């Protein structure tokens, strides 16, 4: 993902969770988190359990998310006057700590927490995980809008089951692929690049007026089976020379550590040999896990999409 894609993704998350945008530049955004986003990102579980138990008014945190550090430096205005220092409030007269220790000096302004959101950063990965956990399944309808001031015509809707798959080709190196498939539950049609098609449509979670859903002939379980078979056949047609090369590197590494530990066992004292043998087996397992070629297919998210039936 490039900087613009990351910024667009994060802004969609912030807007979707009703965060308050305080300041927005080309390279950064300053936001006051909503209660939902604060619970997702700050890890203040004890604070939120206190708020929920007592009914106290919650105070969410404010963050500055930076998408392009170099671009942000260029945006800063060096002639801008520094913000005035916060006025000191007189301490409470009936403070318990004040009775014993005197009044504490006024606190200085707190520094605004700042996170740089680049691909691979910890905070961005956290946002990815939050979105994945909350967006595993959706149900959306294509909007049914007619001409202005006219009631939309009655339309039949076809149900599609869409799944976004992640294919991991893994050895001591790794390659990730993303495949979006859609299955028409009425006709049995299978469509690739389904997510790209959904991005071109106006979708809503609300049931549009004056529509009717056409009956489905296929179950979701049948759709999943068809998708898995299609994806498995597609992956089998790949050039798998990478796996053969990884297997050769695996054998070379196993032979290398075998020679090392055999020499070590020959010169070791008898009572130390069981410990060395255990180290050898552990190292073998590590090498096999690192180098052994494998393909892992997992589901990222899925959903039901009710779309206008093409005439």
């Amino acid at each position: 993902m490039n900087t613009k894609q990351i910024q667009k993704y994060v802004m969609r998350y912030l807007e979707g969770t009703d965060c308050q945008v305080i300041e927005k530049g080309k390279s950064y955004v300053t936001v006051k988190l909503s209660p939902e986003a604060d619970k997702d990102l700050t890890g203040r579980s004890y604070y939120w359990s206190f708020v929920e138990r007592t009914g106290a008014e919650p105070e969410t945190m404010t963050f500055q998310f930076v998408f392009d550090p170099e671009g942000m430096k260029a945006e800063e205005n060096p002639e801008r006057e520094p913000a005035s220092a916060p006025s000191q409030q007189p301490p409470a007269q009936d403070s318990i700590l004040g009775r014993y220790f005197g009044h504490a000096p006024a606190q200085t302004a707190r520094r605004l927490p700042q996170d740089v959101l680049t691909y691979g950063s910890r905070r961005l990965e956290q946002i990815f995980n939050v979105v994945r956990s909350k967006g595993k399944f959706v149900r959306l309808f294509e909007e049914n809008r007619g001409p202005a001031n006219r009631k939309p015509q009655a339309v039949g809707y076809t149900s599609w089951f869409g799944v976004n798959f992640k294919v991991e080709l893994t050895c001591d190196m790794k390659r990730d692929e993303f495949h979006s498939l859609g299955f028409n539950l009425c006709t049995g049609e299978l469509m690739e690049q389904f997510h790209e098609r959904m991005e071109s449509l106006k979708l809503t979670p609300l049931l549009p007026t004056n529509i009717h859903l056409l009956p489905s002939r296929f179950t979701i379980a049948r759709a999943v089976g068809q998708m898995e078979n299609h994806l498995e056949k597609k992956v089998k047609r790949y050039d798998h020379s990478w796996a053969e090369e990884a297997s050769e590197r695996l054998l070379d590494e196993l032979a290398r550590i075998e020679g090392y530990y055999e020499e070590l066992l020959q010169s070791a004292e008898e009572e130390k040999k069981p410990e060395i043998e255990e180290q050898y087996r552990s190292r073998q397992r590590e090498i096999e896990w690192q180098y052994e070629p494998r393909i892992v297919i997992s589901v990222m998210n899925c959903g039901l999409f009710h779309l206008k039936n093409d005439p």
Side-chain angles (χ1 to χ4, degrees), residues 229-240 295:
N229 290 336
H230 175 82
L231 196 54
E232 183 179 353
K233 292 178 181 178
K234 186 172 183 176
V235 171
K236 283 182 177 179
R237 292 194 297 267
Y238 284 6
D239 178 9
H240 294 291
I295 299 175

Side-chain angles (χ1 to χ4, degrees), residues 167-169 175 177 179 192 227-244 294-297:
V167 178
E168 301 172 75
L169 294 88
R175 188 179 85 201
E177 296 181 352
H179 298 263
E192 292 192 342
M227 290 178 177
E228 290 177 346
N229 290 336
H230 175 82
L231 196 54
E232 183 179 353
K233 292 178 181 178
K234 186 172 183 176
V235 171
K236 283 182 177 179
R237 292 194 297 267
Y238 284 6
D239 178 9
H240 294 291
S241 57
W242 65 273
E244 298 172 359
R294 56 196 179 275
I295 299 175
V296 180
I297 300 177

